[in-house]
Amino acid sequence: MREMTGAKMVVQALRDQGVEVVFGYPGGAVLPIYDELFLQNDIRHILVRHEQGAVHAAEGYARSTGRPGVVLVTSGPGATNAVTGIVDALMDSIPIVVLTGQVPTFMVGTDAFQEADTVGITRPCTKHNWLVRDTDRLAETIHQAFHVAVSGRPGPVLVDIPKDVQFATGTYLPPARARTDHYRPRTEGDPAQILRLVEAIEEAERPVFYTGGGVINAGPEASRLLRALVDATGFPVTSTLMGLGAYPASGRHWLGMLGMHGLYEANLAMHGADLMINVGARFDDRITGRIKDFSPGSRKAHIDIDPSSINKVIRTDIPILGDAGRVLAEVLRIWSERGARTRREAVAAWWDEIGRWRRVDCLAYRASATTIKPQFALQRLEAATRGMDRYLTTDVGQHQMWAAQFLGLEAPNRWMTSGGLGTMGYGLPASIGVQVAHPEALVINVSGDASWLMNVQEMGTAAQFRLPVKQFILNNERLGMVRQWQQLLHGERYSQSWSESLPDFVRLAESFGARGIRCDNPAELDGAIAAMLAHPGPVVFDCVVEKHENCFPMIPSGKPHNEMLLGEARTEGAIGAAGAVLV
Amino acid sequence: MSPLKIEQGTSRHSAYDLRASFAEIQESHTLAVIVDNEPGVLARVIGLFSGRGYNIESLTVAETDHAGHRSRITIVTTGTPQVIEQIKAQLGRMVPVHEVHDLTVEGPAVQRELALFKVVGRGEARIEALRLAEIFRANVVDSTLQSFVFEITGNSEKIDAFAELIRPLGLKEMARTGAAALARGG
Ligand SMILES: Cc1ncc(C[n+]2csc(CCOP(=O)(O)OP(=O)(O)O)c2C)c(N)n1
């Protein structure tokens, strides 16, 4: 047992949790902790330029490493600025530990300078949060916070630490002695349900695997087992935006992403399936479309670690509560022991049908020799970087969907995007967090002009810490996704969906000490991308693209999967008034 | 339906015992939620209900295990069977929640509320109020020459019925708790 100040305890607890890097921003209520950070060399601190950036950077770090990301911010505005990132991490199940300073305990409740009810504000947007009133409880609370963040369905947690608690002396408790036993979510699937799934696999004629971020959160072994099971059964596999990379895009059974902007073949396979095996996805409305018509003929198995995900929106026939990796291992083992049987002829016929859908070539677009089509830009980026040690982040909008469609993910933990919350401004700070974790890797943020400006200040962070992140901005001078919806849903009334007064991205980059590259000619694109990749430092790539390109396929809100819009389809009036109410 | 004792992170209730289909009928359920008695725990539970649009008909909370710092929150809620299952799953995954019991499906349970009624009046109405109190086994806990305070315990129907009858007899004020409930038997 060691006596030390609360501030020292914070640093010691982080060290004992194996934390190597903290993303943060100082202020009055965390000065004692910053002082302790100054006095040591084990933990690196990345100074962001806005607390939202700290959380997204920690998310990028967490998603690309599988380890929790750590954030340190001050009270009041420091904490409130972090809220968007915290909600983002909650929606996408990213393990984040946020440490916030708070006014001294004797001033709590007095509207003190920079006081905000941080635990009150973040209660609904964390898995759990704590206000620590006693230095003796501080170390244990931090250890518990790490435990909760990574156990079961991962997510953000927050520990609010009043300044007097940081100054006071208490007894340090090492991680092994912290009480964490009562929060132990179940990870082993029910054997009876697993057996039912195995039997369903043996009987299925039109099966499909529908996988999500849960497979990635379950660790690389879960992705390996998914590949093994998919390839052994020969069943087709599709994935949500969050699950990309769990099964390789080059894999034989890959259908591409599903959902609102998912591939035709993936969505029709979901619609026509007789067995759907959901592994770590949550039947989000971007996936299901109209609930009533969602995959009407399928038996649905759902493997999930969160009991509240099962039967939340879609009735499940075979519910399996547990860790995706452990359940997949059991399914594979039992199915193999029983003879690894499938209805091979029926499944082959199913593949023939899928093949016909594939030939629709739903990602086809009209090429242009004079303007860069955003799809073309991503195809060229893909061609130039495929096979590299590559990590991708995105912002939110059309570019995000195109990136998911045109960039092939071959491995888990290589794709960071804001799925559940859809947070514009996520991509740049997330790319910084990824690059901090993987200094040698190629990290590209595929962004849009509007999203990118939302956290543009983080270019300062990239420059200061010499993080060679590549910002690939598909600049359509529009809030493209908003414009697309206005075109399709609101009679082409483009209300406030222009990007007026955009900066000169090249000079903006240079003002941060980064490299700026602008390209508006398809013929020069390959050379410009090569220049971006060759530059050893951060690059802002202003890729000037077609302004009114729409992202297809698209399942309009409120429509079932088999009522999808394709690129060449006549799109005006395609979405009814009922669909316009949905977002 | 099998007895339920929903431990942390399990979903026997939602995943394994779900009824045949998502019925649209509204049901009233009494849930007993055993939680760590830590600051903010009630706000957390209430925030779950308001944030996700669930109903709270009544809510009672007190520390019931002083040594273990555990509180028992009794919630009466209404919703479709699917919503009720969601509520239990959402409660069950909260960090300070130890157990969730659905007393409505776990077997027979006793459920009691307590209410206080202040009745002001003289003469015949006053005598009639006393007679009514006797029938409902309400206790007189305060009396002056022109007023009574009655204390009554029972299920909510009984209290509703008493309130209905006492109203014309000079009911001035009423205070009422939420439900406390326990499963019957060992
Ligand atoms: C913080 C935030 N505000 C608003 C939105 C709504 N929104 C979704 S996409 C979009 C437009 C994005 O434009 P841009 O970043 O240029 O990408 P593009 O769609 O043009 O590729 C907007 C405003 C959002 N997702 N996030």
Side-chain angles (χ1 to χ4, degrees):
Chain A
M1 293 271 192
R2 285 189 288 155
E3 298 291 310
M4 60 179 84
T5 65
K8 209 177 199 64
M9 250 182 222
V10 170
V11 174
Q12 186 58 44
L14 295 180
R15 204 182 276 128
D16 285 350
Q17 288 291 339
V19 174
E20 288 165 3
V21 59
V22 169
F23 300 91
Y25 206 88
V30 281
L31 284 177
I33 300 174
Y34 270 86
D35 209 24
E36 289 299 332
L37 283 173
F38 187 85
L39 295 171
Q40 56 85 51
N41 284 315
D42 301 337
I43 297 168
R44 200 172 163 213
H45 181 275
I46 303 293
L47 178 71
V48 294
R49 300 302 190 260
H50 184 290
E51 289 86 350
Q52 184 190 352
V55 186
H56 293 324
E59 288 185 274
Y61 181 92
R63 247 191 113 69
S64 67
T65 61
R67 298 199 299 271
V70 181
V71 174
L72 174 60
V73 297
T74 194
S75 66
T80 56
N81 271 351
V83 167
T84 300
I86 295 172
V87 181
D88 192 89
L90 185 73
M91 293 289 273
D92 285 344
S93 310
I94 312 296
I96 298 286
V97 178
V98 182
L99 307 175
T100 51
Q102 182 55 278
V103 301
T105 46
F106 52 86
M107 291 177 82
V108 166
T110 64
D111 299 321
F113 178 62
Q114 295 196 327
E115 178 181 1
D117 177 8
T118 301
V119 289
I121 290 167
T122 60
R123 200 173 281 130
C125 43
T126 50
K127 265 186 89 176
H128 198 63
N129 62 14
W130 296 259
L131 171 65
V132 182
R133 293 175 172 278
D134 177 359
T135 307
D136 279 328
R137 296 272 305 121
L138 179 57
E140 181 169 42
T141 304
I142 294 174
H143 298 317
Q144 287 170 339
F146 274 87
H147 171 74
V148 170
V150 301
S151 301
R153 179 176 179 173
V157 296
L158 182 143
V159 183
D160 200 22
I161 314 171
K163 198 172 181 182
D164 55 334
V165 173
Q166 300 170 33
F167 275 126
T169 302
T171 307
Y172 181 78
L173 197 78
R177 303 202 38 217
R179 277 172 300 131
T180 54
D181 45 315
H182 112 255
Y183 186 72
R184 294 270 171 215
R186 164 179 168 158
T187 54
E188 307 290 343
D190 178 341
Q193 298 293 340
I194 289 176
L195 185 62
R196 286 182 65 210
L197 173 56
V198 168
E199 287 165 357
I201 288 173
E202 291 166 349
E203 290 156 16
E205 301 191 342
R206 298 186 311 282
V208 64
F209 280 97
Y210 150 46
T211 65
V215 182
I216 302 205
N217 281 335
E221 180 63 6
S223 292
R224 195 192 63 72
L225 287 160
L226 174 71
R227 287 159 198 227
L229 184 61
V230 167
D231 291 340
T233 55
F235 290 177
V237 55
T238 178
S239 162
T240 67
L241 182 71
M242 297 309 293
L244 295 176
Y247 186 86
S250 61
R252 283 201 320 154
H253 303 105
W254 178 237
L255 298 180
M257 180 177 77
L258 82 162
M260 183 175 269
H261 293 288
L263 271 68
Y264 186 73
E265 49 269 40
N267 283 326
L268 287 199
M270 289 287 280
H271 191 78
D274 71 346
L275 173 65
M276 175 187 301
I277 307 168
N278 172 345
V279 192
R282 58 184 177 87
F283 295 109
D284 179 79
D285 56 82
R286 299 286 110 152
I287 300 303
T288 59
R290 190 197 297 164
I291 297 278
K292 190 165 70 63
D293 300 313
F294 174 68
S295 191
S298 64
R299 289 178 76 196
K300 295 172 187 73
H302 188 179
I303 301 168
D304 205 296
I305 197 148
D306 178 0
S308 74
S309 281
I310 292 174
N311 282 320
K312 182 169 65 180
V313 284
I314 296 290
R315 216 197 116 68
T316 302
D317 304 289
I318 308 175
I320 305 179
L321 186 73
D323 172 79
R326 293 185 188 215
V327 174
L328 286 171
E330 279 302 284
V331 171
L332 188 57
R333 183 181 68 77
I334 294 168
W335 175 73
S336 303
E337 281 172 11
R338 286 166 54 101
R341 289 194 305 271
T342 58
R343 297 247 176 122
R344 289 190 197 285
E345 274 173 33
V347 174
W350 175 229
W351 272 111
D352 289 343
E353 197 168 354
I354 291 170
R356 280 193 290 282
W357 295 328
R358 268 191 176 153
R359 284 194 285 282
V360 168
D361 192 13
C362 67
L363 296 183
Y365 60 94
R366 213 174 267 132
S368 164
T370 50
T371 42
I372 301 177
K373 290 289 187 132
Q375 301 95 322
F376 177 72
L378 291 169
Q379 283 175 323
R380 297 322 300 159
L381 183 69
E382 172 75 353
T385 60
R386 202 174 175 78
M388 290 184 176
D389 180 16
R390 177 181 80 172
Y391 291 82
L392 297 164
T393 71
T394 79
D395 269 296
V396 173
Q398 292 178 313
H399 64 274
Q400 178 188 31
M401 294 298 115
W402 281 316
Q405 293 172 343
F406 287 92
L407 303 177
L409 276 304
E410 294 296 323
N413 303 97
R414 300 241 165 197
W415 169 251
M416 321 329 115
T417 191
S418 172
L421 196 63
T423 313
M424 290 170 68
Y426 169 88
L428 168 53
S431 71
I432 287 172
V434 174
Q435 191 82 73
V436 166
H438 310 277
E440 304 301 325
L442 171 64
V443 182
I444 306 173
N445 172 32
V446 176
S447 189
D449 45 281
S451 290
W452 196 71
L453 287 177
M454 281 214 178
N455 272 320
V456 61
Q457 76 285 346
E458 299 305 333
M459 276 310 290
T461 311
Q464 179 187 343
F465 293 92
R466 301 184 195 289
L467 301 167
V469 291
K470 312 302 181 205
Q471 305 299 316
F472 194 75
I473 303 171
L474 296 178
N475 179 0
N476 53 14
E477 298 175 18
R478 299 288 180 278
L479 313 186
M481 190 58 95
V482 172
R483 189 207 56 73
Q484 175 169 345
W485 281 56
Q486 289 172 337
Q487 181 184 352
L488 301 180
L489 284 147
H490 294 273
E492 302 182 44
R493 290 180 295 280
Y494 297 122
S495 179
Q496 308 296 324
S497 56
W498 269 275
S499 290
E500 284 280 351
S501 309
L502 280 175
D504 176 333
F505 287 104
V506 172
R507 282 166 59 203
L508 181 67
E510 286 165 356
S511 72
F512 278 110
R515 170 99 192 263
I517 296 174
R518 184 171 196 273
C519 183
D520 59 5
N521 181 350
E524 292 167 6
L525 188 57
D526 281 349
I529 289 174
M532 172 180 87
L533 298 175
H535 184 69
V539 178
V540 179
F541 192 114
D542 181 11
C543 188
V544 180
V545 297
E546 166 71 49
K547 297 187 196 322
H548 285 159
E549 192 72 13
N550 282 333
C551 183
F552 292 114
M554 177 177 182
I555 302 174
S557 280
K559 294 279 188 181
H561 278 175
N562 57 348
E563 290 183 38
M564 201 177 323
L565 304 179
L566 291 172
E568 302 299 308
R570 201 176 62 79
T571 49
E572 285 92 324
I575 304 173
V581 178
L582 302 171
V583 290
Chain B
M1 194 175 278
S2 61
L4 297 178
K5 178 176 184 294
I6 300 145
E7 291 150 38
Q8 183 81 53
T10 72
S11 81
R12 296 209 162 270
H13 54 304
S14 76
Y16 301 98
D17 289 334
L18 205 80
R19 269 150 277 193
S21 70
F22 282 174
E24 282 309 306
I25 36 158
Q26 297 277 322
E27 297 178 347
S28 174
H29 283 239
T30 302
L31 309 179
V33 189
I34 312 300
V35 298
D36 282 323
N37 186 12
E38 61 180 31
V41 66
L42 188 59
R44 236 174 259 288
V45 169
I46 292 172
L48 171 73
F49 278 75
S50 62
R52 293 186 183 263
Y54 307 142
N55 296 316
I56 299 182
E57 301 281 300
S58 84
L59 183 142
T60 310
V61 56
E63 190 170 88
T64 49
D65 171 3
H66 296 298
H69 295 288
R70 300 277 171 87
S71 291
R72 184 182 178 102
I73 304 178
T74 308
I75 305 169
V76 181
T77 182
T78 53
T80 62
Q82 185 200 0
V83 166
I84 300 284
E85 299 309 320
Q86 254 303 295
I87 290 172
K88 292 187 276 182
Q90 294 285 355
L91 286 168
R93 71 177 185 152
M94 295 175 96
V95 174
V97 171
H98 289 261
E99 294 166 32
V100 180
H101 296 274
D102 185 340
L103 297 176
T104 306
V105 298
E106 279 184 27
V110 280
Q111 185 162 331
R112 291 290 179 271
E113 292 169 24
L114 183 146
L116 299 173
F117 292 84
K118 182 177 284 175
V119 179
V120 177
R122 288 170 175 277
E124 198 44 42
R126 186 170 158 86
I127 291 161
E128 183 60 27
L130 263 184
R131 200 174 296 143
L132 212 55
E134 205 171 310
I135 295 168
F136 276 81
R137 298 212 189 94
N139 298 322
V140 178
V141 289
D142 178 69
S143 59
T144 66
L145 287 177
Q146 57 275 336
S147 72
F148 289 120
V149 174
F150 296 115
E151 174 209 281
I152 180 169
T153 60
N155 59 27
S156 41
E157 291 77 30
K158 175 179 169 183
I159 293 172
D160 288 344
F162 185 68
E164 190 69 21
L165 292 172
I166 205 90
R167 184 159 292 122
L169 302 176
L171 178 64
K172 190 78 190 300
E173 236 184 315
M174 157 177 183
R176 190 166 173 175
T177 68
L182 282 180
R184 286 182 191 273

